[in-house]
Each structure stands twice: as structure tokens, then as C-alpha cells.
Amino acid sequence: MTQFNDTELTAAVIKSFDQTPDPRAKFLLQELVKSLHDYVRKTDLTFEEWDYAIGFLTRTGQKCTDIRQEFILLSDVLGVSMLVDAVNHRDRDGATETTVLGPFYVGEHKVTPHGTDISASVPGERMFVQSRVTDLKGKPLANVPVDVWHADDDGFYDSQKASYATEGASSRARFITDADGRFSFRTILPCSYPIPTDGPVGQMITQTNRHPMRPAHVHFLVNAKGHEPLITHVFIDGDKYIDSDVVFGVKDELIAKVEKRSSDAVMPDGKTSDGPWHLMTYEFHVKPGGGMAPAPLGTKVPEHA
């Protein structure tokens, strides 16, 4: 008879999954049991600590809504999101580097004409973004949907504001690349900002004396047919948090030099600016393949590449 003590229990639990029909599910569950049990043994986990952990995970789940995912945030600040991303994108072959999706990819990203100001009602220093999507050989890719989203000048995403329910999206949109693989838009210069600290993940960051800041960036999701979906950010060079991102998402290749234009009144699309503005230029290279792009929070149907 098996003795369910600290030496035989793990083997018994692992064996209990032996009849799992899906081999991958069986492997994942058995490895998870090994890791969890090893953690408990290595730390001599107390009842009080385990109760606290259960409470923390419960509060994390309770903080989730259709447009807020506290578990994604927890995964991000523990570096798990970036680790999963890294092991799934080891061989880039010249493709643009990937990074975390983040917890603010929400709602409908409406197809928007090139040159549109996606932050028209948002105060801040103006920025013009010009970009291009190509394959690994530099061939431009036309008719590619590109979703963009970023925080405002106060460090908040639209979905974090009460006005989101009535006024809808801001500083987010979908663009379709032209025949030369290009797209462009106007917006504001994003700033560094803290992750949400009003939930259990933010409380953990505060209690462990970590700062909650992310360096300024714009999110991009490039979903070219016949290619792997590309989830990435473009970071603003010179940001004070570029080397200490709370979610560990920065890669050198993703840092862009954003030029301030103080005396040039004409933007790249030929339209004039009524004051100083900034220019971000970045080219995305996507890898052949396939896969499913994530659906934004608050939507029902996943999107296929």
C-alpha cells in the first residue's frame, strides 16, 4: 500500500495521470506536479504560507474582467510571459523580435485610414508613426492587418478609464498595409507608466520594493497571411526605465530613436503641424509560417493568420 508521505506522494500523484489520453497534456500535468512538489519540499512551505498563496491567487482571479486580465499581469511581472515568448521564438532568422502581449489588448481594433490621428482627443506631444511590413527578404507585404495600441500621456490605456464604456476606444486602431507594405498614423508621444497597482499583483510589487514602471512604447500586432503573427512593442530610446522594465519586455532591436521636429512644420504625409512633433520610423520583418493571433479581450472569436 502506498504511503502518502512526502517521499511517496509525488510519485502517486504523477502516476494518477498515467491514463491521460492526450500525451502532451499528460506530460505537462506530470511535470507541473513535479515542479510544485519540489517547490514545497525545498521551501518547507508552512500552512500559513500556503493559505496566503491560495488567497493571493483567489484575489487575482477576482480582479479579472472581460477587459482586465490580472493573471496576464502576474505572468508578466514574474517573467513567465517573456520566458514563454522566448522558448517559442528562439530562431528568428532575421524576423523582428517579439515581446509580451500585455493585458491591454482589448476590444475591437477598427480598420482605420492611413494618417489618421488615433489620439485626436488625447492631450500630449504629437507624434507621426511611419512603418512598413516585409518578409525576411525585404519584399513588402500588402493587405496586412496591423493592430496598434498604447497608453496616454498620463500612463493609462483607454480600457482603464471609466469613459471607455461610453466613449469607446482611443489610441488603438487597425491599419491595413498598402501595396508597398506601408502604413502610417498620427498619435501622441507615449510616456513611461506604472502597471496597475490597485490589485494583488501591484500589491506584490509594492511589498517587494520593486518599481512598477514600464518604459514608453507602442504595441504592434502584425498578422500577415502565410506568416507567423508578430506580437511586439517599439520602445522609445532614452526612457529612464528602458533597462528595468517591470515585465522584462525590452530587447535592443525594439528600441527606436524618435526624432523631435521643432522647426519642420510639414509631416511625412504632407500635412502641416501646428507645433513641434516627433517622428517614429520602424520596419517590421515577419517570418513564414502560420499560427493563431490572440483575440483582444472582450471579443469572442480568435483571429487566424
Side-chain angles (χ1 to χ4, degrees), residues 70-183:
E70 192 79 357
F71 273 111
I72 291 179
L73 191 62
L74 177 60
S75 173
D76 288 351
V77 303
L78 293 178
V80 177
S81 298
M82 277 302 292
L83 184 57
V84 172
D85 182 80
V87 300
N88 281 274
H89 297 107
R90 287 190 175 105
D91 301 316
R92 299 306 296 148
D93 297 326
T96 299
E97 290 288 345
T98 57
T99 190
V100 295
L101 178 68
F104 298 113
Y105 183 46
V106 303
E108 182 183 1
H109 284 62
K110 294 182 179 179
V111 175
T112 305
H114 296 189
T116 298
D117 189 341
I118 66 172
S119 300
S121 61
V122 180
E125 298 181 35
R126 311 321 292 180
M127 182 171 73
F128 189 93
V129 178
Q130 56 184 13
S131 190
R132 192 175 187 225
V133 178
T134 79
D135 66 13
L136 297 186
K137 296 181 179 179
K139 178 185 176 182
L141 298 177
N143 300 314
V144 175
V146 181
D147 287 357
V148 303
W149 67 103
H150 66 80
D152 65 17
D153 200 38
D154 293 321
F156 292 102
Y157 287 82
D158 52 3
S159 60
Q160 292 180 277
K161 298 180 176 182
S163 60
Y164 181 74
T166 55
E167 297 178 12
S170 175
S171 303
R172 70 174 69 239
R174 172 171 294 174
F175 297 96
I176 307 297
T177 60
D178 65 15
D180 196 34
R182 299 184 186 278
F183 67 96

